[in-house]
Amino acid sequence: MSKLGKRLLVAAILLFVLAAILHLGGWLQCAIFTIGAIASVFEISNAFEKKEHRPFMAPAYLYAAGYFVLYRTFGGEAVFLLGIFVVMLALMERVLERTRTTEDAFYALIPLAYPLAFFTAVAMVAEYAGDYDKSRIALLSIFAMPLMGDTFAYTIGKLFGKRKLSPELSPNKTVAGGIGGVFGGAVGGALVYAFEGLYPAGVSLPLLLCLGLLCGVFGQFGDLFASAIKRWAGIKDYSRIFSEHGGMLDRLDSVLFCAPIVYAVFKIMGV
């Protein structure tokens, strides 16, 4: 199969998985996002190994395996306690394991901040307010807005891009593409509004357009930060889980940065 054929096949599978999450929700989305978090920890661990860092990763894997189940079953306090427990576990291991350095202990804490804190925000969005329709619109927002932003950034950048946006992190991104990405996020907001007929959450079009603009901005920060880690580690993709599409973090970098923004805006606006 050609590279283009592989990309289209993987894209179709990912769209099918997203549709299943949106339609079925519940424990299916819990399982899928848990797998995504575990895979992301694995990818971060591999990036560390490229720089010859081998921290104690068990705490991060433990959090990744349990955060969504605990949030869905017991709420945010249980997830907070899990976070405290795994941090303690990472620090105690430094004391008990004499071959481990203090630098290793610091590296063990990094995955708890990125990407796992952001996966926690995804769980908060997916279970938003215990309301099926609102949670579906919120969840669709964290995917549609940054992904439409990525699409517009790529297209506008190819057509009009000259000045580099952040050449030290991502040499192909341009200022024109960045501007296009912001407006692409708003287009994603309009797309989410079109799904109000299927999920009548009562979220207004102006709010979704403004939220799309925000996700168009923050999604690009997520993309660039993920690129910064790859540049640091000297890797092109985090993994080959999705073949030509790269790894889990390659697909979710902008989505993860939009999750806390969507949750915060919905909360502040009383959606």
Side-chain angles (χ1 to χ4, degrees):
M1 183 181 294
S2 67
K3 287 186 177 181
L4 177 60
K6 289 181 180 179
R7 290 183 69 88
L8 291 175
L9 176 60
V10 173
I13 293 173
L14 292 176
L15 286 173
F16 176 79
V17 171
L18 177 58
I21 291 172
L22 287 170
H23 183 65
L24 299 176
W27 289 107
L28 174 65
Q29 73 181 7
C30 176
I32 290 175
F33 285 126
T34 297
I35 292 170
I38 292 172
S40 296
V41 171
F42 174 76
E43 291 174 350
I44 288 291
S45 178
N46 283 344
F48 288 165
E49 288 189 9
K50 293 292 183 180
K51 299 295 289 186
E52 298 184 353
H53 296 293
R54 293 176 175 81
F56 183 49
M57 296 296 292
Y61 280 113
L62 179 60
Y63 187 94
Y67 81 102
F68 207 127
V69 172
L70 286 179
Y71 188 84
R72 180 170 173 78
T73 306
F74 301 108
E77 289 185 358
V79 180
F80 174 76
L81 290 174
L82 174 63
I84 294 295
F85 173 74
V86 296
V87 168
M88 290 173 59
L89 184 61
L91 300 182
M92 289 190 297
E93 196 270 348
R94 164 65 184 93
V95 176
L96 296 172
E97 178 54 67
R98 294 183 179 180
T99 63
R100 197 80 66 182
T101 66
T102 301
E103 185 180 21
D104 289 333
F106 289 145
Y107 273 96
L109 298 178
I110 290 173
L112 300 175
Y114 183 84
L116 293 179
F118 293 87
F119 270 101
T120 304
V122 172
M124 294 166 67
V125 167
E127 299 287 334
Y128 183 75
D131 185 296
Y132 178 78
D133 291 325
K134 289 181 180 179
S135 67
R136 297 308 89 188
I137 291 297
L139 190 60
L140 183 59
S141 295
I142 71 171
F143 282 94
M145 293 174 183
L147 294 181
M148 287 301 295
D150 289 346
T151 301
F152 272 68
Y154 177 81
T155 303
I156 300 299
K158 282 289 187 182
L159 293 175
F160 306 107
K162 293 182 179 179
R163 183 180 176 185
K164 299 299 183 181
L165 179 64
S166 183
E168 71 280 5
L169 298 180
S170 186
N172 294 325
K173 295 187 184 302
T174 64
V175 173
I179 295 172
V182 175
F183 286 101
V187 173
L191 178 63
V192 172
Y193 184 74
F195 277 82
E196 286 269 7
L198 184 60
Y199 307 113
V203 186
S204 68
L205 176 59
L207 177 59
L208 289 173
L209 291 176
C210 291
L211 183 56
L213 290 173
L214 285 174
C215 285
V217 173
F218 283 94
Q220 292 184 69
F221 275 101
D223 192 342
L224 288 169
F225 179 73
S227 295
I229 296 177
K230 289 190 287 186
R231 298 279 285 188
W232 169 75
I235 55 178
K236 181 179 181 296
D237 295 316
Y238 278 101
S239 71
R240 302 292 290 175
I241 292 176
F242 299 122
S243 184
E244 303 300 324
H245 285 264
M248 190 66 67
L249 287 173
D250 293 296
R251 294 299 90 214
L252 296 181
D253 49 13
S254 57
V255 170
L256 292 176
F257 263 59
C258 288
I261 303 301
V262 170
Y263 185 86
V265 169
F266 270 47
K267 274 291 186 181
I268 291 170
M269 300 305 296
V271 175

